[in-house]
Amino acid sequence: MEEKYKQKYRVQSARLTGWDYGSHALYFVTICTKDRVPYFGEIKSGIESQALLEKTPVADIAYHNWMQIPIYHPYVELDEFVIMPDHVHGVLFINKPDKTTWEINKAGPQSKDLASIIRGYKSSVKQYTMLNGIDFSWQSSYYDRVIRNEKELANVRTYINNNTDNWLLNGGDSDNFYR
């Protein structure tokens, strides 16, 4: 039975129930643009049949700001990352081996966890576009998956690295791997 809030149905959280999203772990994240508008560019066939993203200035900022995440969150290490026309995929490692408390995912203000990292990243890209008069919007949420073992990490890395090629092969739909 679905829960109601103020007599309205609520959308169930996509987060893993009972998980501490500030814990020492690897996370596979997908962040989409609003209505999947291709703000970041277009995928084209490149050299030796490898597909490449013809980037927009927003894609350059999205890339630069992703690379800046460890500056603002020193406990985060970056792994694979790709920018697609209407979304980004990345692997983040929240490196907190000495964390001893377990705080399950909750609604409301959060800090030093995956939600605060993604919120800061999305906000930084949006702020750049607003200050420069560029039309851009993110989807309100994001997709995440806790990576639980080396095999899953290898699969995610392969998926990210092949994403642009799969985009061309599948007519613009490269994201059926985890959905």
Side-chain angles (χ1 to χ4, degrees):
M1 180 175 213
E2 294 188 44
E3 296 179 36
K4 286 187 177 184
Y5 174 73
K6 294 186 178 184
Q7 300 303 314
K8 295 181 180 179
Y9 286 100
R10 296 175 45 185
V11 175
Q12 291 295 100
S13 173
R15 308 287 85 86
L16 180 60
T17 304
W19 186 259
D20 178 353
Y21 278 88
S23 66
H24 184 76
L26 285 155
Y27 300 90
F28 171 47
V29 178
T30 300
I31 311 169
C32 298
T33 61
K34 186 172 183 182
D35 299 325
R36 301 295 295 255
V37 174
Y39 292 114
F40 299 129
E42 187 177 345
I43 302 287
K44 299 279 187 171
S45 291
I47 300 170
E48 297 179 18
S49 300
Q50 184 177 7
L52 300 170
L53 177 68
E54 286 188 354
K55 296 185 291 182
T56 65
V58 179
D60 289 332
I61 291 303
Y63 177 82
H64 176 265
N65 290 9
W66 185 268
M67 294 301 134
Q68 298 293 308
I69 288 173
I71 293 171
Y72 298 99
H73 305 277
Y75 51 89
V76 174
E77 295 176 25
L78 303 176
D79 200 280
E80 295 297 325
F81 177 69
V82 67
I83 298 177
M84 300 299 291
D86 59 7
H87 64 282
V88 299
H89 292 298
V91 176
L92 298 170
F93 176 36
I94 296 182
N95 189 0
K96 295 182 184 177
D98 299 328
K99 185 177 185 313
T100 58
T101 59
W102 190 263
E103 301 164 27
I104 61 171
N105 184 44
K106 62 184 185 294
Q110 300 171 44
S111 66
K112 298 184 179 179
D113 66 359
L114 185 62
S116 67
I117 296 162
I118 301 303
R119 182 175 55 250
Y121 171 70
K122 289 171 69 173
S123 175
S124 70
V125 176
K126 180 62 178 173
Q127 182 179 19
Y128 172 86
T129 61
M130 287 176 27
L131 291 174
N132 290 281
I134 300 170
D135 182 37
F136 177 81
S137 292
W138 288 112
Q139 178 178 294
S140 62
S141 191
Y142 61 94
Y143 171 83
D144 70 77
R145 181 172 179 85
V146 179
I147 299 173
R148 299 179 192 205
N149 58 51
E150 287 295 322
K151 182 179 183 210
E152 188 172 357
L153 177 58
N155 288 342
V156 167
R157 285 174 172 159
T158 299
Y159 172 74
I160 289 172
N161 288 323
N162 293 333
N163 209 236
T164 52
D165 290 330
N166 290 337
W167 180 276
L168 284 181
L169 290 173
N170 296 317
D173 182 16
S174 60
D175 290 327
N176 54 13
F177 186 74
Y178 277 109
R179 296 181 199 204

